[in-house]
Amino acid sequence: MKISSSVAAFLAVGVAVANNINTTEPEPQCHPGPGSFDQPIFNSTNIASLVACTKLNYICDTPTGRDFYEFNPTTPVPANYNCTPNFYSIYIQPDVNSSLSIPVADTIAGVYFYGNERYNVPLNLTGLDFPELVNVSEFELTWADKVGTFDVPKLERVEGYMNLNLSGANPPAINLSFPSLGYARYLSLMGNIDAIELPLLQNATGINVMSTGNLDCTVWAAEVVSKTLPLRPYPTNTNDSVICNSRKGSVTTYRAAPTSGSRRLVAKMDVMGLVGFVWLLVL
Ligand SMILES: *[C@@H]1O[C@H](CO)[C@@H](O)[C@H](O)[C@H]1NC(C)=O
Ligand SMILES: *[C@@H]1O[C@H](CO)[C@@H](O)[C@H](O)[C@H]1NC(C)=O
Ligand SMILES: *[C@@H]1O[C@H](CO)[C@@H](O)[C@H](O)[C@H]1NC(C)=O
Ligand SMILES: *[C@@H]1O[C@H](CO)[C@@H](O)[C@H](O)[C@H]1NC(C)=O
Ligand SMILES: *[C@@H]1O[C@H](CO)[C@@H](O)[C@H](O)[C@H]1NC(C)=O
Ligand SMILES: *[C@@H]1O[C@H](CO)[C@@H](O)[C@H](O)[C@H]1NC(C)=O
Ligand SMILES: *[C@@H]1O[C@H](CO)[C@@H](O)[C@H](O)[C@H]1NC(C)=O
Ligand SMILES: *[C@@H]1O[C@H](CO)[C@@H](O)[C@H](O)[C@H]1NC(C)=O
Ligand SMILES: *[C@@H]1O[C@H](CO)[C@@H](O)[C@H](O)[C@H]1NC(C)=O
């Protein structure tokens, strides 16, 4: 690893920890080498070193080669560097048998934590916490039937799917809370779920919950349906943007189009008002 003095000076301006990965001499922690999987795979002992990789959020063609950098976004990139944003997707080593707290960068491409569906082997992970994660394209935690705690306190946006499958042989009861989540295109939540909190969610195209727990689907669906779009556009427009199944019942519902409905009502009243006005004049 070599940092030229001008780059070091630049990085020193706004970045406390400056990282520079020389890809022709692969940094083993982030880029395990030719032919190997090039994205972080977390386990219980490598979190600190791989978290640093997720913060290398720019890839730049510098005068001396192509490198990954962590840049403070408020600091201008040198003009002679051709930098584009670089976001990692993260994975989990399937044999992890503890709870993990992983302070990845605020923005990453995807979370892909899954057990082996093909060989019918669920993850042994018992809990998961992403204390710093804010924006992600896709989030998958599936075949993970031992997960009893789940925390994403800062997660604001999931551009695509948020898919949690915590169901399986004898899953622990869990309460799911997404205190900051404003948008997820589609949420699929499965497990021994007793409660789901989505206080800030808006515009979801659909939410599908399969709980073997005590979630009260009737109460919950009635509350969450206002956070979805009126029609679920995929694969075709259907009136089932919220589907909830649990020990306490099954509900399929959708948001009645409130804005166009009330607009129509207002329009009708306007017409009546106009007619009344005209009629009054004629008299
Ligand atoms: C990257 O490593 C190679 C091999 O050690 C070296 O020749 C090259 O100068 C390095 N490039 C940078 C930008 O440090
Ligand atoms: C965790 O992964 C690192 C590579 O990132 C490896 O060297 C280490 O042995 C792994 N630890 C365990 C407990 O599997
Ligand atoms: C989970 O733990 C069990 C028991 O130790 C083991 O047989 C299984 O292979 C582990 N699962 C994975 C995905 O490593
Ligand atoms: C969990 O995995 C570690 C190695 O990563 C192993 O030493 C330990 O025995 C495992 N614990 C259980 C309960 O399977
Ligand atoms: C997350 O995404 C939103 C919408 O694209 C953006 O406004 C916000 O700045 C992003 N937050 C971070 C920490 O990147
Ligand atoms: C969810 O995971 C369990 C194993 O943990 C599996 O049996 C089940 O088929 C999965 N469901 C879906 C819809 O993938
Ligand atoms: C879920 O929250 C309820 C209160 O809302 C509580 O009674 C219950 O014990 C919680 N369950 C779990 C698994 O934390
Ligand atoms: C939901 O959609 C409305 C209307 O398009 C938009 O103003 C709002 O920002 C969206 N909310 C989120 C969290 O994306
Ligand atoms: C959805 O429900 C609305 C009434 O709220 C109805 O007009 C529409 O035809 C329904 N659409 C489908 C695809 O069933």
Side-chain angles (χ1 to χ4, degrees):
M1 176 148 65
K2 189 180 119 198
I3 303 181
S4 80
S5 56
S6 64
V7 173
F10 164 73
L11 290 170
V13 173
V15 184
V17 180
N19 288 293
N20 171 322
I21 304 294
N22 182 345
T23 51
T24 56
E25 186 184 32
E27 192 62 39
Q29 66 183 50
C30 301
H31 302 280
S36 62
F37 196 65
D38 203 23
Q39 303 284 322
I41 303 173
F42 284 94
N43 64 34
S44 58
T45 58
N46 65 11
I47 290 175
S49 66
L50 293 192
V51 155
C53 301
T54 69
K55 294 178 180 170
L56 299 171
N57 53 6
Y58 283 88
I59 184 165
C60 306
D61 290 318
T62 78
T64 54
R66 168 167 268 224
D67 282 358
F68 291 86
Y69 291 97
E70 176 182 7
F71 279 135
N72 182 335
T74 59
T75 311
V77 169
N80 59 338
Y81 283 35
N82 181 16
C83 297
T84 49
N86 167 62
F87 298 114
Y88 281 91
S89 288
I90 62 169
Y91 295 78
I92 188 170
Q93 196 174 302
D95 65 356
V96 169
N97 58 14
S98 61
S99 172
L100 298 185
S101 177
I102 311 180
V104 286
D106 55 25
T107 305
I108 61 172
V111 174
Y112 300 101
F113 283 19
Y114 36 69
N116 195 326
E117 189 169 344
R118 186 160 164 207
Y119 297 107
N120 223 332
V121 186
L123 293 177
N124 285 329
L125 182 74
T126 58
L128 187 60
D129 176 17
F130 288 113
E132 306 296 340
L133 184 61
V134 176
N135 287 326
V136 66
S137 295
E138 255 189 330
F139 193 118
E140 290 209 32
L141 171 62
T142 64
W143 283 65
D145 64 0
K146 293 166 199 78
V147 168
T149 61
F150 179 78
D151 286 294
V152 283
K154 295 186 184 169
L155 183 62
E156 284 175 18
R157 289 187 75 84
V158 182
E159 290 305 327
Y161 269 70
M162 172 114 205
N163 188 6
L164 302 192
N165 178 1
L166 314 181
S167 66
N170 188 19
I174 191 166
N175 286 347
L176 294 174
S177 178
F178 305 88
S180 307
L181 191 63
Y183 179 79
R185 177 143 57 92
Y186 193 86
L187 287 119
S188 170
L189 307 173
M190 303 175 66
N192 186 358
I193 303 167
D194 286 343
I196 305 171
E197 286 174 19
L198 292 159
L200 302 183
L201 187 70
Q202 293 181 339
N203 309 335
T205 63
I207 307 177
N208 190 337
V209 172
M210 293 272 284
S211 170
T212 54
N214 292 319
L215 182 72
D216 187 334
C217 278
T218 310
V219 171
W220 183 80
E223 185 195 300
V224 84
V225 73
S226 66
K227 298 160 192 231
T228 62
L229 297 176
L231 287 173
R232 186 168 61 83
Y234 310 104
T236 55
N237 287 343
T238 47
N239 284 335
D240 61 354
S241 47
V242 175
I243 300 172
C244 184
N245 290 284
S246 80
R247 199 188 283 172
K248 294 209 173 160
S250 296
V251 175
T252 297
T253 187
Y254 64 99
R255 200 182 91 199
T259 46
S260 67
S262 53
R263 222 181 281 137
R264 224 176 285 131
L265 187 63
V266 168
K268 263 184 217 151
M269 284 166 70
D270 283 347
V271 169
M272 279 160 64
L274 186 64
V275 169
F277 180 66
V278 170
W279 180 72
L280 200 70
L281 271 185
V282 168
L283 264 189

